[in-house]
Amino acid sequence: MAGLFALVGGALNEVVGRRPVIILSSFLFLLGAIVMACAQHKETLLIGRLIIGVGLGMASMTSPMYIAEVAPPHLRGQLVAANTAMVTGGQLVACVIAGIFSGDKENGWRYMLGLAGVPAFIQLVCFLFMPESPTWLIVKKDSSQPAERVLEKIRKEQDLNQEMDDLIAYKEALEKEPPTIDKLKIMVSNKATRRALITGCMLQIFQQLCGINTFMYYSASILLSAGVGSADKAIWLAIVPSAANFIFTLVGMSLIEKLGRRRLTMGTQLVAAFGLLCLSLSYVAMETDDPSIAIPRIPPEDSPCFDASTCSSCITKSDCGFCFHEDGGGSFSVSACLPYRKNEDDFSSIGLCSNQSDLTTLDLMWTHEYCPSRYALMTLVSMVLFLAGFATGMGAVPWVVNAEIYPIWGRGVGGGISTTCNWVTNLFLSFTFITLSTAMTPKYFFAMTAGFNILVILYIFLFLPETKGVSLEKVESLFSGPSCFVGLQRSHRNNFETSTGFIDSRSSLVTG
């Protein structure tokens, strides 16, 4: 739903402006949170999720665009990256809230979902007092005065002459377009805009293929599988990766205008790939450290637990769990594979772990979700290392670049298509992660994901020009060189020529 309405949001942006779309998406998010918190049936819960998906799709492509258009060029990257920082900060707060309410088995989920409406309400109220984008105003209004008033309000004492001249010249170029022109057709048929659209979409696809939402959606499950302990402990430990994601997004925000989009992302992707390789190796280490069954064949012969030889072979069987006492240093004086009854998984149905008294008296542990491991800390550190690299670069750069590289007439269309690519890839990975990681085993899955992170470096090196410090009205010419490998054009990467004829680029777009 979010992917579909990212496209709808792109069209709405062109018609009604950026500000009304953000207000509408805030209202929908607030409404969806209320519906979910009050849901009495799963159908109502699904309706609430769909409403939030609609708002989220429109907001996720509109917010970076709005920020880019109101920001001064020298701060644009930082301010668009701040949007990503707020998203990661929200994820951190959500993890803390999940931990707080995880003990309330009856209504905890209602509080988790309902509290999501608080930031939506705050944004809704605040945007009632925010101005419209000056770029949209000067293109859509007959007079330049509304845009100039907005610039005077948000720029304070800065000299606005050059910025207004750029906007006015840009509008004059756009007025040469036939009024019925098909924007998507134009974007695909023109060399510069086609390259920009492909680059924007590929960056959004790569952002998901790098594995970020695998971590954010399944971090507690990954930590649980690594042997950190109970599910409640894994939920609380999931705060650590979320905190790393937030902190290093702030680091990226401070570096993006100093290092530029290209250098920052290519450097940090090496760190992200190394973190994923370490994570893969942690699963290799856990396989070699898999506890063996020291008290075999306790269950009846017809039980699926009868012939399990290790902890991992035990807990992967239906209705089987691992009963153990750890002596320290990875040795176990008790380790048995025992059955349990469905809906009664706190104890085994037979044997040593069949009641709380035995668990307490004999100092035993019971689990059907994880195997104890000495390498759980290695898994957690590897996750933090990956997020340190990803959040500093690829976490924000695709959103920053997509807010910069499209001409104003196609910014809504281009942003909507690229955001849809992000959400569709996100949806695909969310549905396939469990299946793929089980079929491939986690060690190979995370090694494969490390490979995608390396591919990002190659793609950016070849196809992404540096947009740092270039005004939005002149970015398109970065993609108009003779070669498709625009990332290799040093003149674009290092010193953008302000004399570049961006109006000529628009004219060729109209005539070609």
Side-chain angles (χ1 to χ4, degrees), residues 269-330:
Q269 280 304 106
L270 288 174
V271 178
F274 179 69
L276 285 167
L277 287 175
C278 290
L279 182 59
S280 176
L281 290 174
S282 75
Y283 278 92
V284 174
M286 282 186 279
E287 285 184 2
T288 63
D289 196 43
D290 192 7
S292 60
I293 302 298
I295 310 176
R297 303 192 175 183
I298 291 178
E301 290 189 18
D302 60 350
S303 169
C305 316
F306 177 77
D307 59 353
S309 59
T310 63
C311 175
S312 60
S313 66
C314 172
I315 64 172
T316 54
K317 294 177 180 290
S318 176
D319 301 331
C320 295
F322 188 58
C323 176
F324 66 96
H325 173 80
E326 188 170 5
D327 297 326

Side-chain angles (χ1 to χ4, degrees), residues 370-408:
Y370 70 93
C371 288
S373 172
R374 292 176 293 176
Y375 298 99
L377 181 60
M378 181 179 177
T379 300
L380 180 61
V381 171
S382 300
M383 292 175 70
V384 170
L385 188 59
F386 162 74
L387 288 164
F390 178 89
T392 306
M394 273 298 282
V397 165
W399 299 106
V400 174
V401 169
N402 271 283
E404 296 174 323
I405 60 177
Y406 306 117
I408 178 62

Side-chain angles (χ1 to χ4, degrees), residues 122-137:
I122 294 172
Q123 179 170 278
L124 173 62
V125 173
C126 289
F127 256 84
L128 294 175
F129 303 95
M130 294 292 286
E132 180 55 87
S133 157
T135 307
W136 185 86
L137 285 172

Side-chain angles (χ1 to χ4, degrees), residues 231-247:
D232 285 345
K233 185 176 181 181
I235 289 173
W236 280 107
L237 281 175
I239 294 173
V240 176
S242 292
N245 194 27
F246 175 56
I247 291 168

Side-chain angles (χ1 to χ4, degrees), residues 199-367:
T199 298
C201 290
M202 288 304 300
L203 286 176
Q204 294 287 28
I205 291 170
F206 272 125
Q207 186 191 60
Q208 293 300 321
L209 291 177
C210 284
I212 179 58
N213 281 324
T214 296
F215 283 86
M216 301 320 297
Y217 296 161
Y218 297 104
S219 56
S221 299
I222 293 171
L223 290 168
L224 187 61
S225 70
V228 298
S230 66
D232 285 345
K233 185 176 181 181
I235 289 173
W236 280 107
L237 281 175
I239 294 173
V240 176
S242 292
N245 194 27
F246 175 56
I247 291 168
F248 284 99
T249 299
L250 296 178
V251 173
M253 190 174 73
S254 68
L255 294 176
I256 194 167
E257 293 298 348
K258 295 177 182 178
L259 300 179
R261 287 62 162 148
R262 285 169 53 87
R263 289 172 58 194
L264 176 65
T265 309
M266 289 191 290
T268 54
Q269 280 304 106
L270 288 174
V271 178
F274 179 69
L276 285 167
L277 287 175
C278 290
L279 182 59
S280 176
L281 290 174
S282 75
Y283 278 92
V284 174
M286 282 186 279
E287 285 184 2
T288 63
D289 196 43
D290 192 7
S292 60
I293 302 298
I295 310 176
R297 303 192 175 183
I298 291 178
E301 290 189 18
D302 60 350
S303 169
C305 316
F306 177 77
D307 59 353
S309 59
T310 63
C311 175
S312 60
S313 66
C314 172
I315 64 172
T316 54
K317 294 177 180 290
S318 176
D319 301 331
C320 295
F322 188 58
C323 176
F324 66 96
H325 173 80
E326 188 170 5
D327 297 326
S331 61
F332 300 84
S333 58
V334 175
S335 55
C337 185
L338 302 173
Y340 65 89
R341 298 183 182 89
K342 288 183 179 179
N343 302 321
E344 296 180 15
D345 55 8
D346 291 337
F347 309 102
S348 63
S349 57
I350 62 172
L352 294 173
C353 291
S354 59
N355 58 74
Q356 185 62 50
S357 176
D358 286 348
L359 290 175
T360 304
T361 304
L362 301 175
D363 193 22
L364 297 174
M365 296 290 292
W366 165 256
T367 176

Side-chain angles (χ1 to χ4, degrees), residues 49 56 91 95 208 211-222 238 242 383 422-423 425-431 433-434:
R49 291 285 293 173
L56 187 58
Q91 290 171 334
C95 282
Q208 293 300 321
I212 179 58
N213 281 324
T214 296
F215 283 86
M216 301 320 297
Y217 296 161
Y218 297 104
S219 56
S221 299
I222 293 171
S242 292
M383 292 175 70
N422 184 293
W423 282 111
T425 311
N426 182 1
L427 178 67
F428 171 77
L429 293 176
S430 300
F431 274 118
F433 167 68
I434 298 296

